[in-house]
Amino acid sequence: MPNSAHYFGFAPLRHPSGVLRPSEREILFNYNTKIYKGDPVKLTSDGTIALAAAGERILGIFAGCSWTDTDGTPRFESRWTAPGATSGSVNAKALVFDDPLTVFAVRSAGTPAQTSVGLLADHQAGTGSDITGNSGANLSGTMATGAAGFRIIGIDKRADNEVSQFAVLEVMIFEHEFNTDEPATPGV
């Protein structure tokens, strides 16, 4: 059965320690761009997170957030519902899988093959779901050896995943904010 073009963003699969653990970060209280579960995020110059565009250094993958509404209601969502409306202009708390060793599953927008393992590719923004809170991000079908946000480390082994168009791949963040191979550039 052919793979579906149903994009779900980046889903954490595993970590060498055996424990998948998100870090708590902050979203600026008035940040006006939606962020969905599974979206790549970046570190900004004020220390908060924002949605990362292809080509930007990546801090990690967004996993949800919490805040207190202006009416005093505590909220936890799998997405940031921009524009945010937090009580007292307090930043929202975000969960981000930001460990550089975390492996993620993501659907490819192209037609990868076993020979794609080891190559690099950027992510592509997609349309997230306001119902499920899931991201529509995917991995670009342009896979090469030049610098890009993610390294393909394998083809996902799930039974319904064919090595063909829209295959689910296993990736690690290559252009990570915390990697030591390049200087960190928050907010760029």
Side-chain angles (χ1 to χ4, degrees):
M1 183 167 129
N3 296 318
S4 156
H6 174 74
Y7 300 119
F8 53 84
F10 291 79
L13 281 179
R14 65 181 176 278
H15 185 274
S17 71
V19 178
L20 285 167
R21 186 174 331 186
S23 297
E24 187 175 278
R25 300 286 174 180
E26 292 191 6
I27 302 171
L28 193 61
F29 70 93
N30 61 355
Y31 182 62
N32 64 359
T33 302
K34 290 181 180 182
I35 307 174
Y36 294 92
K37 179 181 169 191
D39 273 341
V41 294
K42 64 181 179 179
L43 185 63
T44 65
S45 60
D46 64 6
T48 62
I49 64 163
L51 187 64
E56 292 180 314
R57 291 185 69 80
I58 299 166
L59 173 65
I61 303 300
F62 182 78
C65 60
S66 62
W67 70 95
T68 302
D69 265 340
T70 54
D71 67 1
T73 305
R75 300 266 311 262
F76 180 83
E77 297 277 344
S78 57
R79 62 187 167 92
W80 173 245
T81 58
T86 64
S87 178
S89 300
V90 175
N91 289 347
K93 302 294 182 195
L95 295 177
V96 177
F97 288 99
D98 60 3
D99 189 308
L101 298 177
T102 303
V103 176
F104 300 94
V106 63
R107 191 169 300 281
S108 171
T111 307
Q114 187 62 39
T115 55
S116 302
V117 174
L119 297 179
L120 302 169
D122 278 320
H123 71 280
Q124 298 180 140
T127 303
S129 169
D130 287 332
I131 296 169
T132 66
N134 289 335
S135 170
N138 59 77
L139 196 68
S140 169
T142 304
M143 303 165 196
T145 56
F150 294 87
R151 178 174 300 281
I152 301 164
I153 64 165
I155 310 287
D156 191 271
K157 304 288 190 272
R158 62 187 76 190
D160 63 346
N161 188 41
E162 293 182 10
V163 182
S164 64
Q165 187 176 26
F166 306 125
V168 176
L169 304 175
E170 295 183 359
V171 301
M172 293 175 73
I173 299 171
F174 182 72
E175 292 178 332
H176 196 288
E177 191 66 48
F178 296 153
N179 278 353
T180 56
D181 60 352
E182 290 186 40
T185 52
V188 176

